Amino acid sequence: MSPGLLLDCDGVLADTERDGHLPAFNATFEEFGLPVRWSQEEYGRLLAIGGGKERLRILLEPGLVARAGLPTDEDEQRELVARWHRAKTQRYTALVRSGALPGRPGIARLVAEADAAGWRLAVASTSAEESVRAVLEHAVGPELAVRFDVFAGDVVPHKKPAPDIYLLALRETGLDPREVVVVEDSANGLRAALAAGLTTVVTVSSYTRDEDFTGAALVVSSLGDPPEEPATTLADPRGLEVDGAVGLEHLQRLLGPQQGATP
């Protein structure tokens, strides 16, 4: 069986949280007349909550509900959150498609290497599928994007750090967990992948550099595109000795000579 490369979206394909999701949330609050504006610092804390709708639900605390004249009925609140999230997703997707959020260093290169070697490619994310597909296409290009299975949004009951999205990806692709490398950017994502029994590389993003990545097989600043944007190694417990760029040979070494071998 071919090995698999599973990627998170936000922070892995592109550094989307600060420059994409946050302004889309704030523009949506303004559109709906909500007296809310999340700062970069506050949004960084909110990233501990997996999923955009889940973050929006914290607005439904009694004080804001009363102040903004929001409904108190649970069904009406659920529909309102869904409307907010649809509007935010449309804004965010338009921003991505404008080209404002380029792929992170090394992502297109590594994906091309894995595809050429016959690796199975997939994205596993708690973001809305429409957003994920837009980011994916811009990060790796349309020809490689169609090679991916995409598992995203509300397709599982529990979002990261629960392992559900990765367990779904394994079931649907038929991949052996021993033959899979995940690339994540956050502690929540790392915990989800580890709970699914998956070897995980972390590429830290603007919000996650200081998080606890115990259990990661490798932690780097990015996958790297030297000489302009080389990767810096932050933790290397497996002794891979990455020199500026994480390549397919490093992923093969993480899996071992049999699982990671090129077909």
Side-chain angles (χ1 to χ4, degrees), residues 162-234:
D164 299 32
I165 193 74
Y166 283 116
L167 295 174
L168 174 66
L170 292 173
R171 288 196 302 271
E172 293 295 319
T173 61
L175 287 166
D176 184 331
R178 296 169 298 177
E179 299 181 353
V180 171
V181 175
V182 170
V183 182
E184 271 285 357
D185 78 300
S186 68
N188 270 353
L190 171 63
R191 289 199 293 272
L194 293 179
L198 302 174
T199 301
T200 307
V201 171
V202 171
T203 59
V204 297
S205 60
S206 56
Y207 279 117
T208 66
R209 188 179 185 92
D210 296 326
E211 293 183 0
D212 180 5
F213 295 119
T214 301
L218 176 69
V219 183
V220 287
S221 60
S222 73
L223 295 174
D225 269 329
E228 292 84 4
E229 298 180 279
T232 299
T233 300
L234 305 177

Side-chain angles (χ1 to χ4, degrees), residues 109-110 113 218 223 242 245-253:
R109 171 188 53 77
L110 184 61
E113 290 178 17
L218 176 69
L223 295 174
V242 172
V246 178
L248 192 64
E249 69 275 14
H250 298 113
L251 306 191
Q252 291 171 334
R253 286 169 59 191

Side-chain angles (χ1 to χ4, degrees), residues 26-81:
N26 283 333
T28 301
F29 299 154
E30 184 175 356
E31 174 188 348
F32 282 85
L34 295 171
V36 177
R37 183 171 182 83
W38 287 338
S39 67
Q40 289 191 21
E41 182 180 2
E42 183 178 12
Y43 187 65
R45 293 192 296 269
L46 290 173
L47 290 177
I49 303 171
K53 285 194 291 294
E54 288 74 11
R55 288 172 209 149
L56 286 169
R57 288 191 187 111
I58 72 167
L59 300 180
L60 298 174
E61 54 88 16
L64 182 60
V65 167
R67 191 161 68 252
L70 301 179
T72 57
D73 178 79
E74 289 187 8
D75 290 337
E76 291 182 18
Q77 287 185 343
R78 191 178 302 111
E79 174 55 31
L80 183 59
V81 167

